[in-house]
Amino acid sequence: MPIPLTIATIPLRVLLIEASEDDASLVVRSLTRGGYSVVFERVESPEALTAALDGGAWDLAIADYMMPRFSGTAALELLRTRDPDMPFIFVSGTIGEDAVVAAMKTGAHDYITKGQMTRLVPAIDRELQDARVRRERKRAERRLAHLAYHDALTDLPNRTLLHDRLQQAVLGAYRTGKPLTLLVMDLDRFKEINDTLGHHAGDRVLQLVASRLRGTLRDVDTVARLGGDEFALILPSTDLDGAVATAAKVLLELERPLVVDGRTLGVRASIGIARFPQHGASAETLLRKADIAMYLAKGDSGGYAVYAADRDRQTHRRVTLATDLATAIDHDEFFLEYQPILHLRTGLVVGVEALVRWNHPLQGRLLPAEFIQLAEQTGLIHRLTPLVLDKALDEWPDADPSMPLTISVNVSSRNLQDPELPDRIQACLKARGALAPSLALEITENIIMSDPARSMETLTQLHNMGVRLAIDDFGTGYSSLGYLRRLPVDELKIDRSFVVGLGAGNDEVIVRSTIGLAHNLGLSVVAEGVESHAVQGQLLAYGCDAAQGMFISEPAAASVTREWIARRNAFGPAA
Ligand code: C2E
Ligand code: MG
Ligand code: MG
């Protein structure tokens, strides 16, 4: 071992491929003098080189060009099979120019003759620096490649990688005949989390969901984020029973409270399941079918659903409608019709109910049954309801004192969970100088049951503003009159299914007792769906306050309804 001549500072592990011990010492001495603290091993055969490479990590190789039992170019070739990047420098006696060129072509980094040893240290400095740059560039490239295939927020595989893996899984399942299932999952009400708690909280939720998914599934399963709040799970070697059990497990796991920014949230999701080969034999088809099944699951109010061909057509339409719905708001494709509400004893029109319609560019006029639920699921209801409110208040300006009317607008459960709703309504009224009592909001009873505390808060605020509140479709939900007593509501609308029944001699008892109890609670009662003179007469006899329905008037454009009301009120109580 040579003794260092100066105090060396930079550690350097050198592999010396050199037959002569003296020449090796010469190299080491130069390096040490150049400021390196050298650790080296000298080898002179392929076997020894292999052993040295196996034995440790090296910063650099220096090789003689010609040795009795080895050649520099053979050494270089061998080394490149192990480490394509390690700096490699020939240090040799003079050889022909051709040999130098050949050596450089095989991938050596430099060639130094033994008579030019002063060049050695600068050459090594440069090569080590270059090697560092190469390593960093490779790391950056790997990072970029990772980002191209992974989602930056959750670090899960992205849609591209999922697609690749799914293709591989399909091929594997073909080959082995083993089952394969694909799950597509979408979080319910994620938009609400984003809207009410902010994007930061939304991001946190996605990260937590991602780690729960990873934690719940097996290592062979792929968990990917498709974008937004959509995830996909590939379950290889898993049949339908296994997939259903996994879906249930995932849903349960997500329901465990999540703590985000100090708040505790419960997350629910809908999962669609598609299986290979029953539902599709390609990655694309499986993804599409799982997506459709996911929509089915949402329609079934959460949980999971397995793809079913017979429900596909209908779902396809829903999926298309869901995408159209977003642009419909921007393109102002909605309009309102109004159905008059008649005070039974006086025969005067006391209000109109605004009913939204969608003028779809391809499908024509659509009724709320076709899109309200979708609007709720996609969160678009938060934009739709204010739009309906604006239109309704614009079309029935409060200015005409000869026609004091209440404008009723239907409000969805999602709207009640929006803490800004009361302020927004206040602003709406104020902008038009309208009075709060001229507005009634209709709320179906199940809404209130889904989040009683939150709904109660919003309802109380609205009530204190003076807005009238009505329970819509009463009788179809689970709430008792006793429960409703605790709500700050003014009015109860008996669902049309009971009212229609009156005409057929049914539901008499229900309708009568509902009217009686409601009056006891200080609520006024409106009957919906009056389709005949006889039913209207019965309702009057039972003491029902008001009614609406086809027999009285169908919903129509504001101008038509306004004329109808003018004519009707001119007749007065006689009608
Ligand atoms: P709803 O609030 O109970 O409205 C009454 C529904 O009964 C309307 O259906 C109306 O056209 C229909 N109707 C009126 N008279 C009769 C009759 O004599 N017989 C029968 N069988 N039906 C009658 P439409 O317009 O299809 O609306 C359906 C539901 O959609 C509404 O039920 C309401 O819950 C919801 N909706 C309507 N507009 C909006 C809205 O702007 N926002 C929200 N969130 N929901 C709305
Ligand atoms: Mg209504
Ligand atoms: Mg109703």
Side-chain angles (χ1 to χ4, degrees), residues 16-84:
L16 281 173
I17 305 155
E18 171 67 73
S20 148
E21 220 169 300
D22 285 347
D23 285 356
S25 302
L26 188 71
V27 167
V28 172
R29 220 171 308 141
S30 307
L31 293 178
T32 309
R33 226 181 276 125
Y36 288 103
S37 157
V38 180
V39 172
F40 76 96
E41 185 170 339
R42 189 177 64 82
V43 296
E44 51 182 315
S45 68
E47 300 74 32
L49 176 58
T50 307
L53 287 170
D54 288 341
W58 302 98
D59 297 316
L60 154 88
I62 295 175
D64 198 352
Y65 195 68
M66 272 188 296
M67 290 159 278
R69 291 192 290 140
F70 207 2
S71 86
T73 41
L76 178 56
E77 240 170 72
L78 199 158
L79 189 108
R80 284 290 171 254
T81 63
R82 306 283 298 259
D83 183 342

Side-chain angles (χ1 to χ4, degrees), residues 181 183 216-218 221 233 235 238-252 271 273:
T181 42
L183 274 53
T216 311
L217 297 176
R218 295 177 301 180
D221 302 333
L233 321 175
L235 311 181
T238 306
D239 60 11
L240 194 56
D241 287 346
V244 164
T246 308
K249 197 164 75 173
V250 164
L251 291 173
L252 204 67
I271 297 180
I273 303 175

Side-chain angles (χ1 to χ4, degrees), residues 179-222:
L180 167 70
T181 42
L182 173 71
L183 274 53
V184 167
M185 179 179 106
D186 186 277
L187 301 185
D188 298 345
R189 303 183 173 200
F190 180 71
K191 278 212 169 61
E192 275 178 33
I193 294 179
N194 253 345
D195 289 352
T196 53
L197 302 181
H199 286 275
H200 172 74
D203 285 354
R204 253 332 265 152
V205 167
L206 291 173
Q207 288 172 332
L208 291 170
V209 166
S211 79
R212 286 202 183 172
L213 287 174
R214 249 319 2 144
T216 311
L217 297 176
R218 295 177 301 180
D219 283 344
V220 292
D221 302 333
T222 292

Side-chain angles (χ1 to χ4, degrees), residues 37 50 72 99 119 128 177 227 249 294 378 384 439 455 523 562 570:
S37 157
T50 307
R119 274 192 56 215
L128 289 175
K249 197 164 75 173
M294 193 270 291
T378 53
L384 184 60
L439 178 67
S455 309
L523 304 177
R562 204 188 311 279

Side-chain angles (χ1 to χ4, degrees), residues 12-13 36 58-61 79-80 83-89 107-110 122-142:
L12 186 68
R13 293 156 300 180
Y36 288 103
W58 302 98
D59 297 316
L60 154 88
L79 189 108
R80 284 290 171 254
D83 183 342
D85 277 335
M86 192 196 298
F88 188 100
I89 295 173
H109 289 104
D110 206 349
I124 287 176
D125 289 346
R126 186 195 64 225
E127 289 312 323
L128 289 175
Q129 170 66 18
D130 284 0
R132 246 192 313 278
V133 169
R134 278 198 299 279
R135 263 198 310 275
E136 267 154 31
R137 195 175 45 225
K138 279 206 169 159
R139 198 176 307 137
E141 279 166 4
R142 269 200 301 274

Side-chain angles (χ1 to χ4, degrees), residues 443 448 459 463 469-471 484 487-491 521-523:
I443 302 134
I448 301 159
L459 288 178
H463 177 80
L469 297 174
I471 300 292
L484 294 181
L487 297 172
V489 294
D490 310 279
E491 187 176 289
L521 297 175
L523 304 177

Side-chain angles (χ1 to χ4, degrees), residues 281-302:
S282 72
E284 291 79 16
T285 322
L286 284 173
L287 262 169
R288 201 162 45 75
K289 300 287 171 78
D291 216 40
I292 289 166
M294 193 270 291
Y295 268 93
L296 293 178
K298 274 210 193 296
D300 294 348
S301 75

